[in-house]
Amino acid sequence: MDRTSNFMPTPDQSVLDVQPLRTLAPMFPAPLGVNTFNLTNTTPPLVFVTSAGQFPGGFGAPGHPAFRSFAAAFGAQDAYGGQPASSRGQDAGGGQATAFADKYAANGATNPGATADCPIDATPISAYRSTPPTIIPLDDDDDDNEHLAGNQTSASGRKIKRPSHLSGYKMSGGFGSDDSNVVKAKRHRSSYRKAGADNEFTLVPLSSSNPREVVEEVLMTFEALRRRYLQVDQAQESSKRPDLKVGAMMMARNLRANIGKRIGVVPGIEIGDIFYFRMELCIIGLHSPTMAGIDYMTHTFGDKDDDSVAICIVAAGVYENEDDATDTLVYSGSGGSSKNNEEMHDQKLERGNLALQTSLLRKNVIRVVRGFKDPGCLGGKVYMYDGLYKIHESWKERTKTGIQCFKYKLLREPGQPEGMSIWKMSQKWVENPATRGRVLHPDLSSGAENLPVCLVNDINSEKGPGLFTYITQVKYPKPLSSMKPLQGCSCLNACLPTDTDCGCAKFNGANLPYSSTGLLVCRKNRLYECGESCQCSVNCRNRVTQKGVRVHFEIFRTGNRGWGLRSWDPIRAGSFICEYVGEVIDDGKSNLDDGEDDYLFQTVCPGEKTLKWNCGPELMGEQSMNNSDDTFEPLPIKISAKRKGNISRFMNHSCSPNAFWQPVQFDHGDDGHPHIMFFALKHIPPMTELTYDYGEIGTDSGGIGSPGAKSCLCGSSNCRGYFC
DNA sequence: GCCGCATCAGCTGA
DNA sequence: CTCAGCTGATGCGG
C-alpha cells in the first residue's frame, strides 16, 4: 500500500508485458435512460437500464438519431483506448462514433477492432469495436416504449418518479411456497409493458450512470437476493434453487441490463469478468438461455436478408473438449444426448446447430463464455467471458457413444484483452508456484499463512517493499486473556440455520451470517463468529475468518501506486479475503504522527455502496434486523501495519473498490476492538488488484480529518477525488 | 474424503 | 402451449 502515490490510468503501461492488469473498471459517461428502483426513502436509488431506455424500441434504421446517440455513447471509446472519458471532449467522440455507425449501417458485417496498439491492460472491452447491437424491435408501440424512448433522447426533460410502494420485492407468504410467487412474477412480466401506470421502477436520468455500473448493480442485486433467499430457505429447510428464483424475479421486474439480443460486444461487460450462475449471464444480457449453450437470434443482413445466427455460446467443457489452447475452441453442437431413458440419436441441423452453421457462412462474431471448475469450491463452477470469436470451420463427427455430432471450430478475434489465458496462467502458478516468473520472494509470510504469499515485480527493478515484520494475528496492547470474553452458543457439533436456539445466530440478528459455503450474506455493523466458548466444533459454518486466508495472493508492483495485492484464484462475492493485521493502537495514547502512518487502518465511513453492501433484507422489503446496521458507527480501533502487518497492508484505495471491511469478533468480547476482516464486494477475477474504500474525509473520520487526505485519481466515474 | 453418476426440480425462449 | 437445454443441488456407490 502506498498511500502517498495516486492512481491514474496512464495510456502507456505497455511495460506490463506479461500480466495484463485487470485494475479499475474503465468508466465512461453515457447519457442513458435508466430505470431506478428505489429501495427505501433513505437509500440512494439502484439504477437499471431498461430495455427501451438503453436501446429505444424500433430504432433499427441506420442513421436514426437514436442510433447515432447510442453510437456516441458506446462507440466513443474506440479511438481512445482506456483513457478516462473525462479527459476528452465528448463531441469528438460523437463524431467518430457517427462515422462508425454509418460505416456499419450498410450491412451487419462485423469488424473486430484494431486495438492491439493500445496498452492491453487499459483497454476495456468497450473499446473493442464490434457490430452495432442489433435489437429485436418490440412488436408493438405501447406506452412504455414511447416512454422510454423519450427518456433516452431528451437529456433534460426527464422526470423522476418516486416508487409508489416497495412491495415489489416483497414476496407474499414468506419464502416457503414458491410456486405462487413464480406464477405471479410471470403474470407481472406478461403485463409489464401494458401496465405502465403502476410500475415501481421509475425512469431516472442519472448522467453519472454507465453500462459498467449498471451491470455491476444488477449482479450485486442478484447475489444479494440469492444469498438472502438461501439464508431464509435454509432456515425453513426448503432450499431449492435460489438462483432461479431470484433470476425469475429480476427478469419479471426488468431488473436487468442489456435487454434485447445483439451481436458482438455487450456494454458494461468486460473480457475476464467471472460469474457463478448461468442466470447471471442471463440478467446482464450476455447469454439469454438459462441452460442451453447456444444463444442465437434473427439478424437482418444487407437490406432484407434475414438469418438466424449464433451470438453467444457457453463452453462448459461438458462435451469432451480437451483443448488447452487459449485462442481456439472446438464446440460441439447440441442435442443427441439421452434423457429419460430415451436412446441417443444423431444431432440435427436445427436451432442452435443451424445458427452456428449460418454463422460460419455469415462470419459474424460470437461471444464466448468459458466454464471451469471453481478451484475454491468443490463441485462448483465458474464462468468467464472470453470475448469475441468467429467460426472458421465445421464438420460432423461420430462420438464415442456412436452418434453423429456437429463440431464447430472457433478462433478468437485478435486484438482483444486477455481473458481465459490469464486464468490458465494463474491456475498454473497455483499448481506450481515455481512457474511464476519475476518472483522476488516465494513467500513473504515465511509459512505463517495457510498459503504462500508471493512477491513479484513485473514492472521495474525494485526489490520489494520497505522492511516490516510479517505477522498473522493482530497485536493488542493488552493480552487477550484480560479482555472481556465473548459469550458462546451451546450448539453441538455445528450451528445450523434451522436451530432457532443458537446463541451465536441470535447475536447476529436471528440468522447465521454465512452461507454453508462460507459466503457472507450481507454486511453488518458487527458480526460474531463462534469461538472458544462455543460448544460447536471447528467445522461449524460460523467460523470463517478465524481459519485464515484461502486464496493464493501475490504482492505485485503496480504502475504508479507502489505495491498492491491481487489473487491467483478467482474470488467470489462475499468470500472472506484477509484480515487487517497490525498493532492495535491504544485509545489512550494520542498519536500525533497518525497522518504520517501510511499503514494506519481506521473505521472511516466507506462509500454508501460499501456500507450498504447486499442488504438483502431491505431488498426484499423486510425491515432491517438491526437498526444500527442502517447507520455507520465508527469504532475506536486503530490498527497500524507500519512495522508489523500482513498482506492487507498492501491493499490500495479505490473509489470503486472490490473489497470491503467488516468488524468480526470471535476471540474476545471487546466491542470497541473487533477484528477487521475484508470480504469480496463482487466477483473478482484472477489477477485483478484488490482494493477497498479507505473512506470519506469529513464523515466520522475519528478526528483525523483532512490533514491526512490524499488526492485520488482512480478514474472511476464516481471518484471522490481524494481519500484518507 | 473425493470422484463420477443419476436424479430431480427448474426457467426461459423458440 | 410444449419442450429442449453445455443447470445446480443432492445423494449414493465405488
Side-chain angles (χ1 to χ4, degrees), chain A residues 24-46:
Chain A
L24 302 172
M27 301 297 183
F28 46 94
L32 298 172
V34 292
N35 255 352
T36 292
F37 177 63
N38 209 339
L39 300 176
T40 72
N41 287 337
T42 56
T43 312
L46 287 179

Side-chain angles (χ1 to χ4, degrees), chain A residues 32-36 49-58 66 138 140-162 192-205 254:
Chain A
L32 298 172
V34 292
N35 255 352
T36 292
V49 173
T50 68
S51 55
Q54 190 167 358
F55 307 110
L138 299 173
D140 51 358
D141 288 323
D142 56 55
D143 292 355
D144 275 25
N145 277 344
E146 287 172 15
H147 220 65
L148 297 163
N151 268 299
Q152 161 73 14
T153 46
S154 98
S156 56
R158 293 165 177 162
K159 51 189 182 243
I160 299 174
K161 276 195 280 178
R162 279 306 205 185
Y192 175 73
R193 289 179 193 162
K194 301 294 179 193
D198 70 331
N199 62 346
E200 309 93 274
F201 317 113
T202 53
L203 307 165
V204 178
N254 256 8

Side-chain angles (χ1 to χ4, degrees), chain A residues 101 169 339 391 453 522 569 599 655 677:
Chain A
Y169 267 136
K339 55 158 200 173
I391 303 179
V453 176
C522 69
D569 297 303
Y599 299 95
C655 297
M677 301 297 190

Side-chain angles (χ1 to χ4, degrees), chain A residues 323-329 368 370 386 389 410-412 418-425:
Chain A
D323 208 335
D324 251 8
T326 54
D327 56 352
T328 68
L329 169 68
V368 169
R370 305 250 198 177
D386 195 33
Y389 285 63
L410 293 95
L411 293 188
R412 195 164 191 260
E418 303 215 41
M420 194 191 59
S421 47
I422 294 181
W423 178 288
K424 292 267 179 190
M425 195 170 59

Side-chain angles (χ1 to χ4, degrees), chain A residues 443 445 447-453 470 472 544-552 576:
Chain A
D443 184 9
S445 82
E449 300 281 14
N450 296 333
L451 300 166
V453 176
Y470 200 103
T472 55
V544 173
T545 64
Q546 56 190 276
K547 291 183 183 171
V549 302
R550 286 270 175 265
V551 297
H552 295 82
F576 168 62

Side-chain angles (χ1 to χ4, degrees), chain A residues 23 135 426 550 619:
Chain A
T23 56
I135 306 305
S426 57
R550 286 270 175 265
L619 286 170

Side-chain angles (χ1 to χ4, degrees), chain A residues 267-384:
Chain A
I269 301 172
E270 293 173 24
I271 290 175
D273 283 351
I274 58 172
F275 310 94
Y276 288 81
F277 290 93
R278 285 290 300 269
M279 199 50 100
E280 290 179 294
L281 310 180
C282 196
I283 56 173
I284 58 170
L286 184 59
H287 185 93
S288 44
T290 48
M291 294 187 192
I294 308 165
D295 196 4
Y296 55 100
M297 68 178 286
T298 303
H299 178 78
T300 305
F301 292 87
D303 278 339
K304 43 176 80 104
D305 201 2
D306 279 8
D307 247 339
S308 181
V309 292
I311 55 175
C312 185
I313 58 171
V314 176
V318 178
Y319 283 75
E320 62 189 57
N321 287 320
E322 63 282 337
D323 208 335
D324 251 8
T326 54
D327 56 352
T328 68
L329 169 68
V330 175
Y331 192 79
S332 304
S334 73
S337 53
S338 65
K339 55 158 200 173
N340 297 339
N341 295 330
E342 280 175 32
E343 58 199 41
M344 315 246 315
H345 56 270
D346 289 354
Q347 292 186 347
K348 296 180 185 131
L349 195 59
E350 57 183 24
R351 302 165 193 256
N353 297 349
L354 182 58
L356 284 168
Q357 191 62 37
T358 311
S359 286
L360 170 64
L361 303 173
R362 290 294 188 181
K363 302 188 192 306
N364 65 290
V365 287
I366 296 172
R367 297 185 293 274
V368 169
V369 178
R370 305 250 198 177
F372 306 91
K373 274 184 189 157
D374 181 359
C377 173
L378 287 169
K381 206 179 240 183
V382 193
Y383 298 98
M384 175 181 268

